[in-house]
Amino acid sequence: MTVIAPAPSMRVEPHVDGAHSFLVTRRERSSGRYERLGVLTEVSDGWDFRYFRDVFQNERTIALPGIPLTDSVIHSEHLFPLFAQRVVSPRRPDRPRILAMLGLDESATAFEILAHNGGRRLGDTIELIQLPRTQQGGGESMQFLVHGMRYRSEAEQSAVDALAVGDELLLVPEPDNPVDTGALLVVTTGGAALGWVPAPLLPLLAAGAEMTASVAHVNSSQAPPHQRLLVELRGDLAVPEVFSSPSWRLVD
């Protein structure tokens, strides 16, 4: 059952609960750029979804299928169908192989699967990115799938095959990027450019902040380009400052 109602006060707001929340983005067909739409959070009694306030107020916004455009939290006892269909079904005979490709076993939860596959489907425009999680020793960590790998050269794409979990990666500003002057390239220590940090995440990366990037998981060349490389960031990510800004305010 899905209901639209104010969130109970005991629920942790999604912007401080990255361990259970995804940033939901959609690729705009006109520009090819991914834009943020809202936040999906797993809570004790189901799932909550909130649109960003400026997204709700934009008269040109097209609501997500099955998730009406509203200025209130939308709660569901079960994962919304739009996102549930992006989780590998237990009935699929190839489920073990697909999960293994994602670095998961058959005990993986829906949240874990979405965190590893980004909710991406071939030819689709939706992507989920797990929000930063607070670390015990301070700072935050987050993971993302590298964007735009299919646009890189054959040599650059093959460089992914030589990577191993834990390998250091570099985030290099690309001010001459014709689409986004704030773009960040993901580059190996050997200088191979692999793709880009997803555009919706750029505001979360504090300018001049101390952070490191490394390989979290590598899929084989048989995997779709958008699922080849999972990167982990650790450091001081500007999460509280971003979500308290007017442009990133969620509906109540």
Side-chain angles (χ1 to χ4, degrees):
M1 181 177 68
T2 300
V3 297
I4 302 173
S9 58
M10 76 278 292
R11 287 198 188 127
V12 178
E13 288 298 307
H15 61 279
V16 294
D17 187 27
H20 300 94
S21 297
F22 293 105
L23 178 67
V24 178
T25 69
R26 179 170 60 195
R27 181 169 56 82
E28 298 303 320
R29 297 191 184 277
S30 58
S31 65
R33 178 186 170 93
Y34 279 84
E35 303 289 353
R36 56 180 175 75
L37 290 178
V39 171
L40 173 70
T41 302
E42 185 175 24
V43 293
S44 60
D45 57 346
W47 296 79
D48 285 351
F49 181 83
R50 290 174 173 84
Y51 283 102
F52 285 102
R53 183 159 293 279
D54 64 339
V55 171
F56 163 72
Q57 293 173 340
N58 187 341
E59 61 182 19
R60 300 179 62 182
T61 296
I62 299 174
L64 289 166
I67 304 179
L69 202 57
T70 174
D71 62 352
S72 299
V73 61
I74 304 172
H75 177 71
S76 177
E77 294 177 3
H78 306 286
L79 183 58
F80 298 91
L82 174 66
F83 307 120
Q85 63 190 8
R86 298 158 194 277
V87 176
V88 188
S89 171
R91 294 189 294 273
R92 287 188 58 160
D94 58 350
R95 174 182 165 92
R97 179 184 63 81
I98 295 175
L99 291 179
M101 188 179 72
L102 296 173
L104 300 170
D105 59 35
E106 292 194 65
S107 66
T109 65
F111 190 96
E112 290 171 330
I113 294 172
L114 290 173
H116 279 71
N117 71 8
R120 299 280 295 276
R121 298 195 305 175
L122 192 63
D124 193 34
T125 60
I126 303 296
E127 180 175 11
L128 281 67
I129 306 171
Q130 187 175 2
L131 288 171
R133 305 174 299 282
T134 302
Q135 298 299 298
Q136 264 190 328
E140 296 84 30
S141 69
M142 69 180 304
Q143 296 182 344
F144 65 85
L145 290 164
V146 175
H147 274 200
M149 291 192 66
R150 63 191 177 99
Y151 298 113
R152 308 310 304 179
S153 70
E154 186 175 336
E156 289 171 326
Q157 292 188 41
S158 64
V160 177
D161 297 324
L163 294 174
V165 173
D167 282 355
E168 180 185 1
L169 296 169
L170 307 175
L171 303 184
V172 179
E174 194 182 32
D176 296 330
N177 186 295
V179 177
D180 189 344
T181 57
L184 288 175
L185 268 174
V186 179
V187 181
T188 68
T189 53
L194 307 176
W196 291 267
V197 174
L201 293 184
L202 295 176
L204 296 179
L205 309 184
E210 290 290 331
M211 68 180 72
T212 60
S214 61
V215 175
H217 184 72
V218 181
N219 284 319
S220 74
S221 58
Q222 296 181 344
H226 59 264
Q227 291 185 348
R228 286 290 324 269
L229 181 60
L230 187 68
V231 173
E232 179 165 29
L233 287 181
R234 287 180 176 268
D236 297 322
L237 308 178
V239 182
E241 294 84 354
V242 170
F243 274 94
S244 62
S245 67
S247 61
W248 277 64
R249 183 185 171 194
L250 292 162
V251 298
D252 298 328

